[in-house]
Amino acid sequence: MKSSLYPPVSLPNLLLAIVLVVTSFVLLSATIHRSSYLSSVPSVEPPPERAWPMVWASYSNEPPEPKYFQEAGNTLEMSHYDIRFFQGVIPYSQHREVLQHLIRSYLSIMASFKMETWIAHGTLLGWWWNGRIMPWDYDLDVQVSLHTMEHMAKQFNQTLHEWRYTTDEGGEGVHEIKKTYLLDVNPNYSEMKRRQGMNVIDARWVDVDTGMFVDITALAERDPVLEPGIWSCKNFHQYRTHNIWPLKETRFEGVKAKVPLDHERILVAEYGEKSLVLTEWEGTPLE
């Protein structure tokens, strides 16, 4: 009988060798798996604003929602210009005059058409303090009922409106200025759900010379069966019928205007109690 070329292996040594081999295999597999996982992890940087429809779609299995109104940029300042009419940033010393004629023309022309509308959000807060636009505001907000929005869409969508006023600025004596505004209704206005948040603004009143605008949102009873008398826009602002109606007649920036009946409760709910007490914002006093 031939002798073995290899020395005999004891059982303890054999078991130890098996344990070492198995441990090495497990560690190697874990290293390969971790390397593969880390190489597949996407960047942690947040996507740009315009990418959010794609992000939402990946979670909701919905196709990206096209945005109807397009602004001139993603910054706070540039987001207050309609890209179709943007000619350049209005200097801070001049933007308030542009906003004044935007809201004056809108309120006056809507009244001439007998369309019920009222001022809202930060514009309403400006009215509460002094009947004027806040000195730091770059936008204007108004609301209508969904019924009024339907009338806007059917009768006045994509219509141009002329507004004339006189001024004595510029050292040329009193002279007349003519402005043109576009009433543009978002075709998604009748959508009852927020969806991906790309079309929460239902219509705009746009200054065709500058691109600055008034945001118009429609309030509707989103669920009249389960929540009767609860009105809201697609941006989750909710009101009860008696918070809004009957509207209160007043004046804003020198023209006739309407505000919700329970305006103080609405402002406190949206901005907090301090909004009706503090007299300056980031160092800028109220006028």
Side-chain angles (χ1 to χ4, degrees), residues 97 99-112 117-119 123 127 130-133 140 142 163-166 181 205 214 248-259:
E97 181 182 357
L99 293 179
Q100 286 173 329
H101 291 294
L102 265 166
I103 196 63
R104 288 169 180 167
S105 61
Y106 171 81
L107 293 173
S108 299
I109 292 173
M110 292 304 105
S112 71
T117 186
W118 59 95
I119 55 180
T123 309
W127 166 83
N130 55 13
R132 303 183 66 188
I133 298 166
L140 297 161
V142 298
W163 171 253
R164 296 172 182 267
Y165 65 95
T166 58
Y181 299 97
W205 181 258
V214 178
K248 177 180 178 180
E249 294 187 358
T250 183
R251 297 186 72 84
F252 184 67
E253 286 292 351
V255 300
K256 291 182 179 180
K258 293 183 179 180
V259 297

Side-chain angles (χ1 to χ4, degrees), residues 94-235:
Q94 300 175 19
H95 86 278
R96 190 171 184 180
E97 181 182 357
V98 175
L99 293 179
Q100 286 173 329
H101 291 294
L102 265 166
I103 196 63
R104 288 169 180 167
S105 61
Y106 171 81
L107 293 173
S108 299
I109 292 173
M110 292 304 105
S112 71
F113 294 150
K114 300 188 184 308
M115 285 199 287
E116 184 182 72
T117 186
W118 59 95
I119 55 180
H121 307 315
T123 309
L124 181 63
L125 185 60
W127 166 83
W128 188 90
W129 275 101
N130 55 13
R132 303 183 66 188
I133 298 166
M134 294 287 197
W136 49 78
D137 272 349
Y138 269 89
D139 63 350
L140 297 161
D141 291 288
V142 298
Q143 293 174 328
V144 298
S145 68
L146 183 60
H147 175 75
T148 298
M149 181 62 66
E150 290 171 347
H151 182 58
M152 280 186 178
K154 291 177 182 178
Q155 301 295 326
F156 299 102
N157 189 25
Q158 295 287 320
T159 55
L160 295 171
H161 303 269
E162 190 175 278
W163 171 253
R164 296 172 182 267
Y165 65 95
T166 58
T167 180
D168 58 0
E169 295 183 359
E172 302 176 0
V174 177
H175 58 284
E176 186 178 69
I177 301 293
K178 182 178 74 173
K179 297 281 293 181
T180 301
Y181 299 97
L182 168 70
L183 179 58
D184 191 3
V185 178
N186 188 333
N188 301 284
Y189 78 89
S190 59
E191 171 63 54
M192 287 292 99
K193 296 181 179 179
R194 178 184 172 87
R195 296 187 63 198
Q196 296 159 27
M198 294 295 103
N199 293 288
V200 296
I201 303 302
D202 296 304
R204 275 179 176 165
W205 181 258
V206 188
D207 182 344
V208 300
D209 294 325
T210 66
M212 297 186 80
F213 49 77
V214 178
D215 276 336
I216 310 170
T217 51
L219 299 187
E221 286 184 290
R222 307 278 158 181
D223 194 340
V225 175
L226 296 179
E227 294 184 315
I230 302 297
W231 297 73
S232 65
C233 63
K234 291 194 282 285
N235 216 18

